[in-house]
Structures are given as C-alpha cells and as structure tokens.
Amino acid sequence: MSSDKIIDGKLISSHIIEEVKAELKTSGIQPGLALILVGNNPASEIYVKMKEKKCAELGYYSVTDKLPEVIPESALLSLIHKYNNDSRIHGILIQLPLPKHINEMNILEAVDYKKDVDGFHPVNAGRLMIGEKCFLPCTPAGIQELLIRYNVNIAGKNTVVLGRSNIVGKPIANILMQKSKHANATVTVCHSATENISEYTSRADIIIAAIGKPEFLFGNMVKEGVVIIDVGINRVEDSSAKKGYRVVGDVNYEECYPKASLITPVPGGVGPMTIAMLVKNTLDSALKKIYK
Ligand code: GUN
C-alpha cells in the first residue's frame, strides 16, 4: 500500500544515508563506532546487527563487543574508558536495556560526551534542554527529520507526546519546544498518570506516540488532519502469522489512517530513521561538527 499521506521512513532514511556517503567522499574521513551489547536480548541483538551492517556498508571502522549477561559493571566501565581513549573511535553506543545488576546511569555517564552519538549522556541531555548544540538521541532526531522532510509546519502547533522515556518522549518534547527552526511547537507530554488522555490527543495537530502500548491510539481520539508519528514496536500474538506474532505500533493504524493528513507506518516509519541518524551522528562526531 502506498499513499501520499504515508510518511515513508525507509525512503527518507535512504536519502540521509546517501547524504552521509557524499560527505564521507568529500571529507575522506573514516568514522569509527564502538557497539557494546550486554546479554542475549533478542531485539537488542537484531538492532546491533543492523547497526554493524550499516557501518560495514558505509566503510566505517566499527567494533562490536558482545558481553555476557553476568559481566561486572567495572569491566564494562573499563571497556568504555578504552574506547574513550581510542582515536579511531568517534562514537560509543551501549545498547539498552542493560541487565538489572548494572547501574545504567553509571555506564552512560562514563562515555566521553564528545563520543556520545546516542545522545544519552547527561551533558548532551542537559545541553538539549537548554538549547545548546549537542548530540541528539537518534530516534527523536529521526522524528524531527521526518517532520522537516514532509514539510510539516511545527512552529506554534499543538503537539502531544505520548510517553516520557529518556530515549524518546523527553528528548522529542525538548527538541520540538526549542525556540529554533523546525521546532517552536507547543508541546504537551502525556504519560501513564495523565487523566483523560483523549482531551489532549483530540486537540493535537501533531501526535508522537511512544508509550509502548500496542495500538493505544484509536481513531476517536484524534482530530481530522492530524500528523501522527508512531514510535511503537510491539509484538502481538497472531496465530494467522507465520511467526505466531505480528508487529504493531502504538497507534491503531486502520482507525487513525483515514483521519490523519500524514502518518508513519509500522514497520517502515520511524524505525529505519534511528540507524540513519546514528551513522550521521557518528560522521558528525568524526568531523567534529558538534564538539571540537
Ligand atoms: N534501546 C532502545 N533504543 C535504543 C537506542 O536508540 N539506542 C540504544 N543504545 N539502545 C536502545
């Protein structure tokens, strides 16, 4: 199915990859990315493989450390310090979630913020909040890029973010509320404790759904002409599917599609953008575009 109201993340991500390739050619630099994966989370393994593959395709120098679930926090910190001091490495990514015995913030804080291509270090999160140049987290950066490239007018628009995670909800709210180009939205963040969510979503010009609840947003919760960005990737049981499950977003697509002026599909919407923004951030790091 193809329609002019579908936001094609696959297509836009391929444009970004082409732009990265062109910049690689003119700069002659080889960006380096360290990927760190702890444990055997099947989804994380797939994501890291996809990131490795994209690095290989682009000719990046990339290294992957697959570490056992039981690794002590100190060993992980030592590895991060090694990459902080390795001049071939311009980006360090620790795939989340980490096992319970590891303090996530200790790990994210150990990464040199100048190599923090995921934008999760408190320095980058803080700089984002106050509107200073920084590495933007890849998924939120990809969402803004989709809105820009589909000419969505963001300034002054009533924008509702569903979800307040550190990876998507909080950063996208911060990005879109900045007094800057391609932002300047009026942002409301709704979450698990929000009462009467429909009151917010039904008035929204733009909805970013990132709550991790399958098909949460129904057609009767949105207004005609809304722009919907669906960040959800949820497995739901489906005995008619070959694998016994299918992947759905946080949006009931069938119901919301007729009312939306633009909408992202799942898969093929936000998903492909995350990796494109990661390789872009890594190139920017190698070229010292964010920090000297
Ligand atoms: N886990 C889920 N999303 C992400 C992401 O964008 N980066 C990392 N490192 N881990 C994740």
Side-chain angles (χ1 to χ4, degrees), residues 6-23:
I6 294 177
I7 296 180
D8 189 342
K10 249 176 118 169
L11 179 71
I12 302 298
S13 66
S14 73
H15 293 167
I16 292 168
I17 296 296
E18 287 312 309
E19 290 161 19
V20 165
K21 282 181 182 167
E23 212 172 343

Side-chain angles (χ1 to χ4, degrees), residues 51 93-96 118 120 139 167 274:
K51 290 168 186 178
L93 180 145
I94 297 112
Q95 190 65 32
L96 301 179
D118 245 342
F120 293 163
T139 302
I167 294 182
T274 301

